[in-house]
Amino acid sequence: MKTILQVEDDPNDVFFLQKAFKKAGVQNPVQVATDGQEAIDYLQGADKFADREQFPFPCLVLLDLKLPYVMGLEVLTWIRKTSGLAVPIIMLTASAEEADITAAYRLGANAFLCKPSEASKLQEMVKAIKDFWLTHNTCSREALSESPMEGVVSLGYSTTTDFGPKPPAVNGVRRHELADAAEAIR
Amino acid sequence: MKPVVLGILKQKIKPMKKKTGVRTSRKSFDAGHRIRAPETRLVTNGGSSTLSGRRMRNGKRARKAIPDDHARRLAAARGLIDTPAGFPPVTRSDRELEHAWTYAHAIIEAAPPLLVLDRSLRVQTANESFCKCFRISLRETLNHRVYELGNGQWNIPKLRTLLEEVLPRKSFFKDFEVTHEFESIGSRTMLLSGRQVDNLQRILLVIEDITERREAQVGTRASEIRYRRLFEAARDGILILDPDTRKITDANPFMTELLGYPRKELVGRELWEIGLLKDEQASRAAFRELQKKLFIRYEDLPLQSKTGRHHEVEFVSNLYEEDGRKVIQCNIRDITERKRVEQALLTAKNEISQHASELEKVVAERTRELRETIGELEGFSYSVSHDMRAPLRAMQTFASYLVEEYGGKLDEQGIGYLEQIMRSSVRLDRLIQDVLSYTRIIHSQLPMEAVDLDRLIRDIVESYPRGHPAEPEVQLLGTLPKVTGNEALLAQCVSNLLSNATKFVSPGTRPHVEISADAVEDQWIRICFKDNGIGIAPENHDRIFRLFERIHPATKYEGTGIGLTIVRKATERMGARVGFESEMGQGSNFWIQLKKG
């Protein structure tokens, strides 16, 4: 069973999703990165995530937008532009702001889902994820390989973006930067 | 009677030509002589005339016979008649006489208007010039008393005095100026000269019309005065110079005032001597240029008055001819004040532009601050939507898990409390979302475009949840037109209005909404949402658009009190209008009015 990577800083949401997965009979192991930098580290297999046995490369990333240190859209940018990884990414976030939706798709997200407030709706959504992304959807072989980072062909994207430690972004929304990034892409 | 010498007028002896329409008299002598009368312009009157004095038309023959010997001899002398037997031959003195007549006649014709009067002041002779000048025919003139001429127009008191009082005493008068109003030719000014020719018992009256000359004189004098006044009163300094000597020949009072020199000190000096040009050399150069171009102009010339006061002057000089004599006119305008004002203006302008740039800086700074504030506000909204809603979502979800998984362990009251928690959190979530959409409407950039209202509203109606027991009935009347607006905002408006229209109905009533569009004035479309709801009491009409204002308790009709506020703000941002008509129990008709798309 391939691993799912959930990038989510809210333990409640982590709990709800895992509960819903369980309820829906999703067998795939779910790894959680609680901030953007951790997600990048995980995908890179860096530091504590170096052991791919323990931390396999995911077949699906569920990515929240509002994350500490490195925001969801920046993680997305890193995955698609910097690394050129072909892993499917589903944005899973609290609110659907038009600017976020557009930016996410432009940056290469595969789906955009809003976290429902009701347990029943969350259950429906998780079932849909299971049916589509985990059942019908076909992933690229690259995403399924054990260490895709080694096989990544450089797409010639700039790798100058420094995703090193950022000042704590507790409530420090950097939406403008994201909007700017989205604008630059446009 | 003696022959009237002056009565014999210009005569040309030539073969008679038939001339019609020309005022000529043809005379011929009686008695079958083959005389062709000469063309005569001036005609004498009186039977005693040697040549027939009767003016004839159409070549009629003069009725009078030539009375005397003398005339016959004359005629013979002119070769006009054959010398019949018994007439003495033409003598030398006859010829001289004839020459004298011709001469006299020529003089008369060349003279100004002239009348020959007899003692009773009847006109015996009038020259062509008289007839022409005073527009009177010979017939109306000859043998009439002078005062009667032209219906008594010549009854001029001064003329009377001259003819009746002056002449008898002095035998002549000369150049008496008389202005008289003639009926036919208007006011004329005449110089009257008269002379009594005693031996002929005739009076010569010469009337010279000098009206034009007088008018011209008056005109010239008026224009001279006018120009002199201009010269004297001008608020520019004017100098007249002699181009040859370069010396000032005249200066107007303003110039003397400007320079502080009396006129007599200016006259005779050169320009450089009064400080207008730097030195003699500059003066000569300026004059050379003036001779060449006939015009020179200096924009800023420094000028120092006699008292040492500094002026800035504008100097314009023209060279022109005046009656064949060259004259230079210089106009000197004191522009010190203008320069001062210009300088002040420039300073003011600089100050203003400095202020403006400072202001721009302030505006830029404020704009930046405002942008920052808006950004912070947007960030705040973003935070609210993500961070504030997260715990709420957790509350809701945990509560629903509680009901689902532990419902069996709770009694009815416990379940009721949990449901209350869930309802409250749903309500808080909706409130947060509404506030967020309101702030989004206030701050976001909204492109205006043509919106297909029909499609938009049909889409919204289609997406309504079906199968509800009191499923609203929404009816679109006709095809709705295109309007100018922002699609997202319009969708929000329509959605909110529809939601209100279907929500506020009395229990048990199936909501019914009728959507229609009407053209209002030329360029507006009004979209009406007519419902069968409970209506709005008049006292609440002012309240419904206010933020968080609710007319009904939440227990009866749920809502956040933001829906209509959003509609109002959204229409405002689209340059549109919103309004309604409603009565209690009669339903409401809400409308939004947008520009045509």
Side-chain angles (χ1 to χ4, degrees), chain A residues 9 34-36 65-71 74 165-175 177, chain B residues 376 379-380 382-384 386-388:
Chain A
D9 64 322
T34 54
D35 65 60
L65 271 181
K66 197 162 172 294
L67 294 165
Y69 310 124
V70 180
M71 299 284 278
E74 291 171 286
K166 299 255 172 181
V170 184
N171 286 336
V173 181
R174 294 203 296 272
R175 186 154 166 262
E177 293 165 30
Chain B
E376 275 164 15
F380 173 76
Y382 196 74
S383 262
V384 165
H386 284 85
D387 300 334
M388 277 173 79

PDB file of all heavy atoms in Angstrom, chain A residues 9 34-36 65-71 74 165-175 177, chain B residues 376 379-380 382-384 386-388:
ATOM      1  N   ASP A   9      -1.296  21.223   9.830  1.00  0.00           N
ATOM      2  CA  ASP A   9      -0.759  21.642  11.118  1.00  0.00           C
ATOM      3  C   ASP A   9      -1.787  21.499  12.250  1.00  0.00           C
ATOM      4  O   ASP A   9      -1.438  21.567  13.405  1.00  0.00           O
ATOM      5  CB  ASP A   9      -0.257  23.085  11.045  1.00  0.00           C
ATOM      6  CG  ASP A   9      -1.373  24.066  10.759  1.00  0.00           C
ATOM      7  OD1 ASP A   9      -2.272  23.723   9.946  1.00  0.00           O
ATOM      8  OD2 ASP A   9      -1.369  25.172  11.327  1.00  0.00           O
ATOM      9  N   THR A  34       3.707  18.471   9.634  1.00  0.00           N
ATOM     10  CA  THR A  34       2.903  19.491  10.307  1.00  0.00           C
ATOM     11  C   THR A  34       3.260  20.913   9.885  1.00  0.00           C
ATOM     12  O   THR A  34       2.665  21.871  10.355  1.00  0.00           O
ATOM     13  CB  THR A  34       3.022  19.375  11.837  1.00  0.00           C
ATOM     14  OG1 THR A  34       4.414  19.400  12.183  1.00  0.00           O
ATOM     15  CG2 THR A  34       2.389  18.077  12.329  1.00  0.00           C
ATOM     16  N   ASP A  35       4.225  21.058   9.019  1.00  0.00           N
ATOM     17  CA  ASP A  35       4.441  22.389   8.414  1.00  0.00           C
ATOM     18  C   ASP A  35       5.045  22.220   7.032  1.00  0.00           C
ATOM     19  O   ASP A  35       5.421  21.099   6.647  1.00  0.00           O
ATOM     20  CB  ASP A  35       5.293  23.296   9.319  1.00  0.00           C
ATOM     21  CG  ASP A  35       6.707  22.785   9.487  1.00  0.00           C
ATOM     22  OD1 ASP A  35       7.407  22.660   8.453  1.00  0.00           O
ATOM     23  OD2 ASP A  35       7.111  22.518  10.635  1.00  0.00           O
ATOM     24  N   GLY A  36       5.156  23.310   6.327  1.00  0.00           N
ATOM     25  CA  GLY A  36       5.579  23.257   4.934  1.00  0.00           C
ATOM     26  C   GLY A  36       6.991  22.735   4.772  1.00  0.00           C
ATOM     27  O   GLY A  36       7.284  21.940   3.867  1.00  0.00           O
ATOM     28  N   LEU A  65      -3.314  24.829   2.871  1.00  0.00           N
ATOM     29  CA  LEU A  65      -2.742  26.083   2.359  1.00  0.00           C
ATOM     30  C   LEU A  65      -2.013  26.836   3.446  1.00  0.00           C
ATOM     31  O   LEU A  65      -0.917  27.345   3.257  1.00  0.00           O
ATOM     32  CB  LEU A  65      -3.865  26.984   1.813  1.00  0.00           C
ATOM     33  CG  LEU A  65      -4.247  26.809   0.354  1.00  0.00           C
ATOM     34  CD1 LEU A  65      -5.348  27.792  -0.009  1.00  0.00           C
ATOM     35  CD2 LEU A  65      -3.028  27.024  -0.552  1.00  0.00           C
ATOM     36  N   LYS A  66      -2.687  26.961   4.557  1.00  0.00           N
ATOM     37  CA  LYS A  66      -2.142  27.830   5.590  1.00  0.00           C
ATOM     38  C   LYS A  66      -1.329  26.975   6.562  1.00  0.00           C
ATOM     39  O   LYS A  66      -1.871  26.228   7.367  1.00  0.00           O
ATOM     40  CB  LYS A  66      -3.278  28.532   6.318  1.00  0.00           C
ATOM     41  CG  LYS A  66      -2.791  29.723   7.106  1.00  0.00           C
ATOM     42  CD  LYS A  66      -3.916  30.647   7.469  1.00  0.00           C
ATOM     43  CE  LYS A  66      -3.402  31.714   8.425  1.00  0.00           C
ATOM     44  NZ  LYS A  66      -3.009  31.110   9.726  1.00  0.00           N
ATOM     45  N   LEU A  67      -0.007  27.105   6.407  1.00  0.00           N
ATOM     46  CA  LEU A  67       0.900  26.270   7.193  1.00  0.00           C
ATOM     47  C   LEU A  67       1.958  27.143   7.851  1.00  0.00           C
ATOM     48  O   LEU A  67       2.291  28.202   7.334  1.00  0.00           O
ATOM     49  CB  LEU A  67       1.598  25.269   6.269  1.00  0.00           C
ATOM     50  CG  LEU A  67       0.714  24.207   5.606  1.00  0.00           C
ATOM     51  CD1 LEU A  67       1.469  23.554   4.467  1.00  0.00           C
ATOM     52  CD2 LEU A  67       0.281  23.174   6.636  1.00  0.00           C
ATOM     53  N   PRO A  68       2.503  26.666   8.953  1.00  0.00           N
ATOM     54  CA  PRO A  68       3.602  27.428   9.557  1.00  0.00           C
ATOM     55  C   PRO A  68       4.861  27.346   8.681  1.00  0.00           C
ATOM     56  O   PRO A  68       5.038  26.373   7.952  1.00  0.00           O
ATOM     57  CB  PRO A  68       3.826  26.733  10.894  1.00  0.00           C
ATOM     58  CG  PRO A  68       2.636  25.839  11.099  1.00  0.00           C
ATOM     59  CD  PRO A  68       2.094  25.518   9.752  1.00  0.00           C
ATOM     60  N   TYR A  69       5.701  28.360   8.801  1.00  0.00           N
ATOM     61  CA  TYR A  69       7.020  28.453   8.115  1.00  0.00           C
ATOM     62  C   TYR A  69       6.917  28.555   6.597  1.00  0.00           C
ATOM     63  O   TYR A  69       7.267  29.566   6.009  1.00  0.00           O
ATOM     64  CB  TYR A  69       7.952  27.307   8.510  1.00  0.00           C
ATOM     65  CG  TYR A  69       8.056  27.108  10.001  1.00  0.00           C
ATOM     66  CD1 TYR A  69       7.779  25.901  10.609  1.00  0.00           C
ATOM     67  CD2 TYR A  69       8.438  28.194  10.821  1.00  0.00           C
ATOM     68  CE1 TYR A  69       7.859  25.739  11.977  1.00  0.00           C
ATOM     69  CE2 TYR A  69       8.509  28.035  12.199  1.00  0.00           C
ATOM     70  CZ  TYR A  69       8.221  26.820  12.774  1.00  0.00           C
ATOM     71  OH  TYR A  69       8.281  26.663  14.109  1.00  0.00           O
ATOM     72  N   VAL A  70       6.491  27.493   5.982  1.00  0.00           N
ATOM     73  CA  VAL A  70       6.375  27.518   4.521  1.00  0.00           C
ATOM     74  C   VAL A  70       4.918  27.218   4.184  1.00  0.00           C
ATOM     75  O   VAL A  70       4.383  26.192   4.593  1.00  0.00           O
ATOM     76  CB  VAL A  70       7.306  26.474   3.865  1.00  0.00           C
ATOM     77  CG1 VAL A  70       7.143  26.531   2.353  1.00  0.00           C
ATOM     78  CG2 VAL A  70       8.750  26.734   4.263  1.00  0.00           C
ATOM     79  N   MET A  71       4.320  28.159   3.449  1.00  0.00           N
ATOM     80  CA  MET A  71       2.896  28.031   3.166  1.00  0.00           C
ATOM     81  C   MET A  71       2.633  26.974   2.094  1.00  0.00           C
ATOM     82  O   MET A  71       3.535  26.607   1.331  1.00  0.00           O
ATOM     83  CB  MET A  71       2.342  29.380   2.678  1.00  0.00           C
ATOM     84  CG  MET A  71       2.482  30.496   3.691  1.00  0.00           C
ATOM     85  SD  MET A  71       1.271  30.348   5.008  1.00  0.00           S
ATOM     86  CE  MET A  71      -0.129  31.099   4.205  1.00  0.00           C
ATOM     87  N   GLU A  74       3.686  27.596  -1.415  1.00  0.00           N
ATOM     88  CA  GLU A  74       5.144  27.547  -1.593  1.00  0.00           C
ATOM     89  C   GLU A  74       5.619  26.106  -1.673  1.00  0.00           C
ATOM     90  O   GLU A  74       6.523  25.784  -2.459  1.00  0.00           O
ATOM     91  CB  GLU A  74       5.830  28.275  -0.433  1.00  0.00           C
ATOM     92  CG  GLU A  74       5.593  29.783  -0.478  1.00  0.00           C
ATOM     93  CD  GLU A  74       6.083  30.455   0.790  1.00  0.00           C
ATOM     94  OE1 GLU A  74       5.414  30.320   1.819  1.00  0.00           O
ATOM     95  OE2 GLU A  74       7.140  31.098   0.725  1.00  0.00           O
ATOM     96  N   PRO A 165      14.883  27.959   6.661  1.00  0.00           N
ATOM     97  CA  PRO A 165      14.028  28.360   7.786  1.00  0.00           C
ATOM     98  C   PRO A 165      13.508  29.772   7.612  1.00  0.00           C
ATOM     99  O   PRO A 165      14.245  30.678   7.254  1.00  0.00           O
ATOM    100  CB  PRO A 165      14.965  28.270   8.997  1.00  0.00           C
ATOM    101  CG  PRO A 165      16.058  27.360   8.574  1.00  0.00           C
ATOM    102  CD  PRO A 165      16.207  27.506   7.091  1.00  0.00           C
ATOM    103  N   LYS A 166      12.232  29.916   7.862  1.00  0.00           N
ATOM    104  CA  LYS A 166      11.610  31.235   7.754  1.00  0.00           C
ATOM    105  C   LYS A 166      11.295  31.699   9.158  1.00  0.00           C
ATOM    106  O   LYS A 166      11.170  30.879  10.070  1.00  0.00           O
ATOM    107  CB  LYS A 166      10.300  31.129   6.965  1.00  0.00           C
ATOM    108  CG  LYS A 166      10.501  30.619   5.553  1.00  0.00           C
ATOM    109  CD  LYS A 166      10.377  31.753   4.581  1.00  0.00           C
ATOM    110  CE  LYS A 166      10.774  31.241   3.198  1.00  0.00           C
ATOM    111  NZ  LYS A 166      10.702  32.264   2.189  1.00  0.00           N
ATOM    112  N   PRO A 167      11.110  32.980   9.336  1.00  0.00           N
ATOM    113  CA  PRO A 167      10.673  33.441  10.646  1.00  0.00           C
ATOM    114  C   PRO A 167       9.325  32.801  10.950  1.00  0.00           C
ATOM    115  O   PRO A 167       8.549  32.556  10.032  1.00  0.00           O
ATOM    116  CB  PRO A 167      10.549  34.956  10.490  1.00  0.00           C
ATOM    117  CG  PRO A 167      10.561  35.194   9.028  1.00  0.00           C
ATOM    118  CD  PRO A 167      11.283  34.058   8.406  1.00  0.00           C
ATOM    119  N   PRO A 168       9.080  32.533  12.206  1.00  0.00           N
ATOM    120  CA  PRO A 168       7.816  31.878  12.537  1.00  0.00           C
ATOM    121  C   PRO A 168       6.651  32.665  11.943  1.00  0.00           C
ATOM    122  O   PRO A 168       6.595  33.887  12.059  1.00  0.00           O
ATOM    123  CB  PRO A 168       7.770  31.939  14.070  1.00  0.00           C
ATOM    124  CG  PRO A 168       9.167  32.169  14.511  1.00  0.00           C
ATOM    125  CD  PRO A 168       9.873  32.863  13.389  1.00  0.00           C
ATOM    126  N   ALA A 169       5.790  31.965  11.296  1.00  0.00           N
ATOM    127  CA  ALA A 169       4.689  32.644  10.620  1.00  0.00           C
ATOM    128  C   ALA A 169       3.393  32.374  11.341  1.00  0.00           C
ATOM    129  O   ALA A 169       2.380  32.086  10.747  1.00  0.00           O
ATOM    130  CB  ALA A 169       4.604  32.198   9.175  1.00  0.00           C
ATOM    131  N   VAL A 170       3.476  32.495  12.694  1.00  0.00           N
ATOM    132  CA  VAL A 170       2.271  32.253  13.470  1.00  0.00           C
ATOM    133  C   VAL A 170       1.290  33.378  13.169  1.00  0.00           C
ATOM    134  O   VAL A 170       1.525  34.534  13.508  1.00  0.00           O
ATOM    135  CB  VAL A 170       2.589  32.208  14.977  1.00  0.00           C
ATOM    136  CG1 VAL A 170       1.342  31.855  15.771  1.00  0.00           C
ATOM    137  CG2 VAL A 170       3.705  31.205  15.241  1.00  0.00           C
ATOM    138  N   ASN A 171       0.274  33.046  12.484  1.00  0.00           N
ATOM    139  CA  ASN A 171      -0.723  34.030  12.039  1.00  0.00           C
ATOM    140  C   ASN A 171      -0.147  35.101  11.113  1.00  0.00           C
ATOM    141  O   ASN A 171      -0.837  35.995  10.690  1.00  0.00           O
ATOM    142  CB  ASN A 171      -1.396  34.727  13.218  1.00  0.00           C
ATOM    143  CG  ASN A 171      -2.372  33.782  13.901  1.00  0.00           C
ATOM    144  OD1 ASN A 171      -2.843  32.834  13.257  1.00  0.00           O
ATOM    145  ND2 ASN A 171      -2.655  34.018  15.148  1.00  0.00           N
ATOM    146  N   GLY A 172       1.147  35.009  10.865  1.00  0.00           N
ATOM    147  CA  GLY A 172       1.762  36.006   9.973  1.00  0.00           C
ATOM    148  C   GLY A 172       1.481  35.606   8.536  1.00  0.00           C
ATOM    149  O   GLY A 172       2.275  34.960   7.880  1.00  0.00           O
ATOM    150  N   VAL A 173       0.350  35.999   8.073  1.00  0.00           N
ATOM    151  CA  VAL A 173      -0.077  35.561   6.755  1.00  0.00           C
ATOM    152  C   VAL A 173       0.783  36.215   5.689  1.00  0.00           C
ATOM    153  O   VAL A 173       1.039  37.404   5.739  1.00  0.00           O
ATOM    154  CB  VAL A 173      -1.542  35.941   6.528  1.00  0.00           C
ATOM    155  CG1 VAL A 173      -1.993  35.457   5.173  1.00  0.00           C
ATOM    156  CG2 VAL A 173      -2.389  35.345   7.621  1.00  0.00           C
ATOM    157  N   ARG A 174       1.256  35.412   4.777  1.00  0.00           N
ATOM    158  CA  ARG A 174       2.035  36.003   3.684  1.00  0.00           C
ATOM    159  C   ARG A 174       1.267  35.827   2.397  1.00  0.00           C
ATOM    160  O   ARG A 174       1.783  35.393   1.390  1.00  0.00           O
ATOM    161  CB  ARG A 174       3.409  35.345   3.620  1.00  0.00           C
ATOM    162  CG  ARG A 174       4.234  35.661   4.869  1.00  0.00           C
ATOM    163  CD  ARG A 174       5.696  35.524   4.576  1.00  0.00           C
ATOM    164  NE  ARG A 174       6.036  34.151   4.235  1.00  0.00           N
ATOM    165  CZ  ARG A 174       6.357  33.232   5.141  1.00  0.00           C
ATOM    166  NH1 ARG A 174       6.353  33.516   6.417  1.00  0.00           N
ATOM    167  NH2 ARG A 174       6.668  32.024   4.747  1.00  0.00           N
ATOM    168  N   ARG A 175       0.042  36.185   2.482  1.00  0.00           N
ATOM    169  CA  ARG A 175      -0.824  35.964   1.339  1.00  0.00           C
ATOM    170  C   ARG A 175      -0.368  36.799   0.144  1.00  0.00           C
ATOM    171  O   ARG A 175      -0.474  36.382  -0.997  1.00  0.00           O
ATOM    172  CB  ARG A 175      -2.257  36.317   1.706  1.00  0.00           C
ATOM    173  CG  ARG A 175      -3.219  35.967   0.610  1.00  0.00           C
ATOM    174  CD  ARG A 175      -4.591  35.717   1.164  1.00  0.00           C
ATOM    175  NE  ARG A 175      -5.529  35.720   0.074  1.00  0.00           N
ATOM    176  CZ  ARG A 175      -6.247  36.767  -0.250  1.00  0.00           C
ATOM    177  NH1 ARG A 175      -6.145  37.874   0.445  1.00  0.00           N
ATOM    178  NH2 ARG A 175      -7.074  36.703  -1.265  1.00  0.00           N
ATOM    179  N   GLU A 177       2.617  37.592  -0.731  1.00  0.00           N
ATOM    180  CA  GLU A 177       3.719  36.933  -1.432  1.00  0.00           C
ATOM    181  C   GLU A 177       3.155  35.850  -2.339  1.00  0.00           C
ATOM    182  O   GLU A 177       3.599  35.667  -3.462  1.00  0.00           O
ATOM    183  CB  GLU A 177       4.684  36.318  -0.426  1.00  0.00           C
ATOM    184  CG  GLU A 177       5.414  37.384   0.397  1.00  0.00           C
ATOM    185  CD  GLU A 177       6.092  36.803   1.614  1.00  0.00           C
ATOM    186  OE1 GLU A 177       6.489  35.628   1.564  1.00  0.00           O
ATOM    187  OE2 GLU A 177       6.204  37.536   2.614  1.00  0.00           O
TER     188      GLU A 177
ATOM    189  N   GLU B 376      -3.387  44.221   5.484  1.00  0.00           N
ATOM    190  CA  GLU B 376      -3.519  43.640   6.819  1.00  0.00           C
ATOM    191  C   GLU B 376      -4.935  43.128   7.036  1.00  0.00           C
ATOM    192  O   GLU B 376      -5.148  42.061   7.612  1.00  0.00           O
ATOM    193  CB  GLU B 376      -3.188  44.691   7.883  1.00  0.00           C
ATOM    194  CG  GLU B 376      -1.692  44.771   8.146  1.00  0.00           C
ATOM    195  CD  GLU B 376      -1.298  46.032   8.893  1.00  0.00           C
ATOM    196  OE1 GLU B 376      -2.193  46.697   9.446  1.00  0.00           O
ATOM    197  OE2 GLU B 376      -0.097  46.347   8.903  1.00  0.00           O
ATOM    198  N   GLY B 379      -5.363  40.078   5.172  1.00  0.00           N
ATOM    199  CA  GLY B 379      -4.680  39.027   5.931  1.00  0.00           C
ATOM    200  C   GLY B 379      -5.527  38.595   7.106  1.00  0.00           C
ATOM    201  O   GLY B 379      -5.650  37.397   7.406  1.00  0.00           O
ATOM    202  N   PHE B 380      -6.141  39.615   7.722  1.00  0.00           N
ATOM    203  CA  PHE B 380      -6.999  39.333   8.871  1.00  0.00           C
ATOM    204  C   PHE B 380      -8.172  38.448   8.443  1.00  0.00           C
ATOM    205  O   PHE B 380      -8.475  37.451   9.086  1.00  0.00           O
ATOM    206  CB  PHE B 380      -7.488  40.660   9.457  1.00  0.00           C
ATOM    207  CG  PHE B 380      -8.502  40.498  10.546  1.00  0.00           C
ATOM    208  CD1 PHE B 380      -8.116  40.093  11.828  1.00  0.00           C
ATOM    209  CD2 PHE B 380      -9.840  40.755  10.311  1.00  0.00           C
ATOM    210  CE1 PHE B 380      -9.050  39.944  12.834  1.00  0.00           C
ATOM    211  CE2 PHE B 380     -10.776  40.599  11.316  1.00  0.00           C
ATOM    212  CZ  PHE B 380     -10.389  40.192  12.585  1.00  0.00           C
ATOM    213  N   TYR B 382      -8.284  36.496   5.961  1.00  0.00           N
ATOM    214  CA  TYR B 382      -7.756  35.187   5.607  1.00  0.00           C
ATOM    215  C   TYR B 382      -7.567  34.350   6.874  1.00  0.00           C
ATOM    216  O   TYR B 382      -7.958  33.195   6.936  1.00  0.00           O
ATOM    217  CB  TYR B 382      -6.432  35.394   4.877  1.00  0.00           C
ATOM    218  CG  TYR B 382      -5.946  34.190   4.121  1.00  0.00           C
ATOM    219  CD1 TYR B 382      -6.568  33.816   2.926  1.00  0.00           C
ATOM    220  CD2 TYR B 382      -4.870  33.445   4.575  1.00  0.00           C
ATOM    221  CE1 TYR B 382      -6.119  32.724   2.220  1.00  0.00           C
ATOM    222  CE2 TYR B 382      -4.404  32.360   3.878  1.00  0.00           C
ATOM    223  CZ  TYR B 382      -5.031  31.993   2.689  1.00  0.00           C
ATOM    224  OH  TYR B 382      -4.575  30.912   1.990  1.00  0.00           O
ATOM    225  N   SER B 383      -7.001  35.049   7.875  1.00  0.00           N
ATOM    226  CA  SER B 383      -6.800  34.404   9.165  1.00  0.00           C
ATOM    227  C   SER B 383      -8.110  33.945   9.755  1.00  0.00           C
ATOM    228  O   SER B 383      -8.231  32.834  10.247  1.00  0.00           O
ATOM    229  CB  SER B 383      -6.178  35.401  10.142  1.00  0.00           C
ATOM    230  OG  SER B 383      -4.817  35.194  10.203  1.00  0.00           O
ATOM    231  N   VAL B 384      -9.091  34.885   9.685  1.00  0.00           N
ATOM    232  CA  VAL B 384     -10.393  34.576  10.259  1.00  0.00           C
ATOM    233  C   VAL B 384     -10.945  33.327   9.594  1.00  0.00           C
ATOM    234  O   VAL B 384     -11.366  32.388  10.248  1.00  0.00           O
ATOM    235  CB  VAL B 384     -11.363  35.765  10.084  1.00  0.00           C
ATOM    236  CG1 VAL B 384     -12.799  35.328  10.334  1.00  0.00           C
ATOM    237  CG2 VAL B 384     -10.992  36.887  11.038  1.00  0.00           C
ATOM    238  N   HIS B 386      -9.495  30.965   8.004  1.00  0.00           N
ATOM    239  CA  HIS B 386      -8.783  29.707   8.234  1.00  0.00           C
ATOM    240  C   HIS B 386      -8.706  29.358   9.718  1.00  0.00           C
ATOM    241  O   HIS B 386      -9.060  28.266  10.115  1.00  0.00           O
ATOM    242  CB  HIS B 386      -7.374  29.778   7.654  1.00  0.00           C
ATOM    243  CG  HIS B 386      -7.372  29.643   6.176  1.00  0.00           C
ATOM    244  ND1 HIS B 386      -7.573  30.715   5.338  1.00  0.00           N
ATOM    245  CD2 HIS B 386      -7.225  28.556   5.367  1.00  0.00           C
ATOM    246  CE1 HIS B 386      -7.540  30.300   4.092  1.00  0.00           C
ATOM    247  NE2 HIS B 386      -7.328  28.979   4.079  1.00  0.00           N
ATOM    248  N   ASP B 387      -8.227  30.339  10.490  1.00  0.00           N
ATOM    249  CA  ASP B 387      -7.907  30.007  11.879  1.00  0.00           C
ATOM    250  C   ASP B 387      -9.132  29.998  12.785  1.00  0.00           C
ATOM    251  O   ASP B 387      -9.228  29.181  13.674  1.00  0.00           O
ATOM    252  CB  ASP B 387      -6.866  30.993  12.416  1.00  0.00           C
ATOM    253  CG  ASP B 387      -5.589  30.927  11.578  1.00  0.00           C
ATOM    254  OD1 ASP B 387      -5.358  29.844  10.989  1.00  0.00           O
ATOM    255  OD2 ASP B 387      -4.867  31.917  11.503  1.00  0.00           O
ATOM    256  N   MET B 388     -10.062  30.973  12.553  1.00  0.00           N
ATOM    257  CA  MET B 388     -11.210  31.017  13.428  1.00  0.00           C
ATOM    258  C   MET B 388     -12.191  29.902  13.113  1.00  0.00           C
ATOM    259  O   MET B 388     -12.897  29.416  13.986  1.00  0.00           O
ATOM    260  CB  MET B 388     -11.917  32.357  13.319  1.00  0.00           C
ATOM    261  CG  MET B 388     -11.272  33.421  14.196  1.00  0.00           C
ATOM    262  SD  MET B 388     -11.995  35.028  13.905  1.00  0.00           S
ATOM    263  CE  MET B 388     -13.484  34.910  14.820  1.00  0.00           C
TER     264      MET B 388
END
